[in-house]
């Protein structure tokens, strides 16, 4: 979005700026979607929804009034940065409790498996171990999502 803003501020028309971005960044499919939507004649607020990442909802889908493109894109960029910071803060706050919960489940499972006198240690392992594996996978997915957000 930075490159588009720079080109628009320098006076390049939006269609030409998007064409340049399609040619210079062929791997980013969002520019091709924007190019196609502009050629169809869709309004700018509907077209710019393709610039928003999957983790950030697009709040401007129902805007139908004429707007100035540059301030709108700057507002979109600030909104995405705000949402990114909020997700990073929420992840940082929730990481330690998730770690403690996972560690406590693993610790209880190890204790019951290591106690040979407990005849119910195997069912407990099934009821505690299997959810702990799913919790570990959940933490791994959250961590990967977090690393994608920071890219």
């Amino acid at each position: 979005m930075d490159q588009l803003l720079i080109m628009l501020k320098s006076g390049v028309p939006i269609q030409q700026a998007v064409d340049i971005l399609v040619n210079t960044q062929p791997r980013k499919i969002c520019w091709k979607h924007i190019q196609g939507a502009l050629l169809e004649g869709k309004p700018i607020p509907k077209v710019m929804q393709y610039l928003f990442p999957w983790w950030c909802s697009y709040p401007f889908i129902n805007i139908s009034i004429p707007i100035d493109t540059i301030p709108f894109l700057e507002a979109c960029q600030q909104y995405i940065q705000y949402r990114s910071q909020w997700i990073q803060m929420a992840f940082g706050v929730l990481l330690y409790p998730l770690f403690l919960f996972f560690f406590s489940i693993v610790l209880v499972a190890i204790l019951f498996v290591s106690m040979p006198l407990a005849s119910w240690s195997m069912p407990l392992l099934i009821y505690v171990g299997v959810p702990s594996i799913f919790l570990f996978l959940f933490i791994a997915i959250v961590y990967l999502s977090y690393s994608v957000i920071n890219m």
Side-chain angles (χ1 to χ4, degrees):
M1 190 180 301
D2 292 330
Q3 294 169 339
L4 180 62
L5 272 169
I6 290 170
M7 284 192 271
L8 291 175
K9 286 179 181 178
S10 67
V12 177
I14 190 165
Q15 183 67 47
Q16 186 179 359
V18 171
D19 290 341
I20 291 170
L21 288 170
V22 165
N23 292 332
T24 58
Q25 299 177 359
R27 295 184 65 179
K28 280 197 158 186
I29 197 156
C30 69
W31 297 120
K32 292 179 184 177
H33 289 297
I34 291 172
Q35 184 183 36
L38 285 174
L39 290 174
E40 291 175 6
K42 291 184 179 177
I44 298 293
K46 295 212 185 285
V47 170
M48 291 305 142
Q49 71 182 351
Y50 297 112
L51 287 177
F52 276 67
W54 62 270
W55 49 266
C56 187
S57 63
Y58 183 66
F60 308 113
I61 194 72
N62 293 325
I63 292 180
S64 60
I65 59 173
I67 57 165
D68 191 13
T69 305
I70 295 173
F72 177 72
L73 287 175
E74 289 172 344
C76 288
Q77 189 174 29
Q78 289 174 354
Y79 178 74
I80 290 172
Q81 289 173 352
Y82 169 76
R83 292 292 293 192
S84 174
Q85 291 170 353
W86 185 85
I87 289 173
Q88 289 174 0
M89 187 268 314
F91 182 76
V93 169
L94 292 176
L95 182 64
Y96 186 65
L98 282 174
F99 170 75
L100 287 179
F101 183 69
F102 175 71
F103 184 72
S104 65
I105 288 175
V106 169
L107 186 64
V108 167
I110 289 172
L111 285 175
F112 279 108
V113 168
S114 65
M115 297 173 66
L117 299 177
S119 61
W120 46 275
S121 65
M122 187 53 91
L124 184 66
L125 178 64
I126 291 172
Y127 291 120
V128 173
V130 173
S132 65
I133 291 171
F134 284 116
L135 182 63
F136 175 74
L137 290 175
F138 173 75
I139 291 172
I141 290 170
V142 168
Y143 178 76
L144 290 174
S145 300
Y146 180 71
S147 64
V148 166
I149 290 171
N150 286 331
M151 291 176 84

